[in-house]
Amino acid sequence: MAATVGSGNAPVSDTQPSTSADRSYEGSTFQYSMVLEHLIGEKRPIKDLNPTVMGGLPNPMKTDDQKMIEQGMESCAFKAVLACVGGFVLGGAFGVFTAGIDTNVGFDPKDPMRTPTAREVLKDMGQRGMSYAKNFAVIGAMFSCTECIIESHRGKSDWKNAVYSGCVTGGAIGFRAGAKAGVLGCGGFAAFSAAIEYYLR
């Protein structure tokens, strides 16, 4: 009877070490996975990189007025006005420059033999400069406004925005002279915008 009991207990004693080994292995695996979760997993704590701790200058919190000014400067209306002013100045300077190198400035077509006075030359240069300034201002405002609207609609800032804006601007200007001029203006402005973007980027 004792032998029977001893033989019956023998298998039980053999399985106990393997069971304890499996439990220790599972426990170590669980602990390892928990460590990984805290290191690189979803439980990893997010550290606030304070500039003062990193050795940099402190970044003060922005006030509501500063945020409002930043939003206004990033708006399409502000960009259009800025481009309009810049185009006006650039166009005026370009018009005065082209008038300065033009030998026919100030000449009267009714009396081409008469030498123009300095006042007539300056008046002609001013008129040409004003004409160029208006055209450049309109083109700059249209291009900047359409580019901003397209960028806001697409949600991307890449070279395609300038190409689309150039096509819209050139087409709108060219369609005043007909459909063919509008198509040519669209293609020309789009190609010019693509070349500028490629050069700048």
Side-chain angles (χ1 to χ4, degrees):
M1 186 68 179
T4 305
V5 174
S7 62
N9 292 336
V12 176
S13 62
D14 293 339
T15 57
Q16 286 179 355
S18 61
T19 304
S20 61
D22 292 340
R23 290 178 179 176
S24 62
Y25 175 75
E26 292 177 357
S28 61
T29 305
F30 178 74
Q31 292 178 357
Y32 183 69
S33 62
M34 290 293 293
V35 171
L36 288 179
E37 282 290 331
H38 284 82
L39 290 177
I40 60 176
E42 296 179 354
K43 296 181 180 180
R44 178 170 58 92
I46 300 175
K47 296 182 179 180
D48 186 13
L49 298 178
N50 193 350
T52 56
V53 177
M54 300 294 291
L57 297 175
N59 189 13
M61 296 295 294
K62 296 180 180 179
T63 61
D64 294 337
D65 295 336
Q66 291 177 342
K67 294 179 180 179
M68 187 181 302
I69 292 174
E70 287 185 356
Q71 291 178 358
M73 293 179 66
E74 293 176 357
S75 64
C76 295
F78 179 80
K79 292 181 179 179
V81 172
L82 187 64
C84 180
V85 174
F88 186 86
V89 174
L90 182 62
F94 185 73
V96 172
F97 174 75
T98 55
I101 61 176
D102 189 1
T103 57
N104 294 324
V105 174
F107 280 93
D108 188 3
K110 298 179 180 179
D111 190 8
M113 301 301 295
R114 186 177 64 86
T115 302
T117 61
R119 184 177 180 179
E120 293 174 347
V121 172
L122 292 176
K123 182 180 179 180
D124 198 359
M125 291 176 65
Q127 291 177 352
R128 183 176 297 190
M130 183 60 66
S131 177
Y132 275 70
K134 291 179 180 179
N135 293 332
F136 274 65
V138 172
I139 294 173
M142 289 180 61
F143 183 86
S144 180
C145 186
T146 52
E147 184 181 15
C148 181
I149 294 174
I150 292 172
E151 181 178 350
S152 301
H153 179 72
R154 294 182 67 235
K156 296 179 181 179
S157 179
D158 52 12
W159 60 273
K160 293 182 180 180
N161 297 329
V163 174
Y164 296 153
S165 178
C167 181
V168 173
T169 304
I173 295 174
F175 269 120
R176 294 183 299 177
K180 185 178 180 180
V183 173
L184 292 177
C186 174
F189 268 76
F192 180 74
S193 301
I196 295 297
E197 287 291 321
Y198 177 79
Y199 177 75
L200 294 178
R201 293 177 184 241

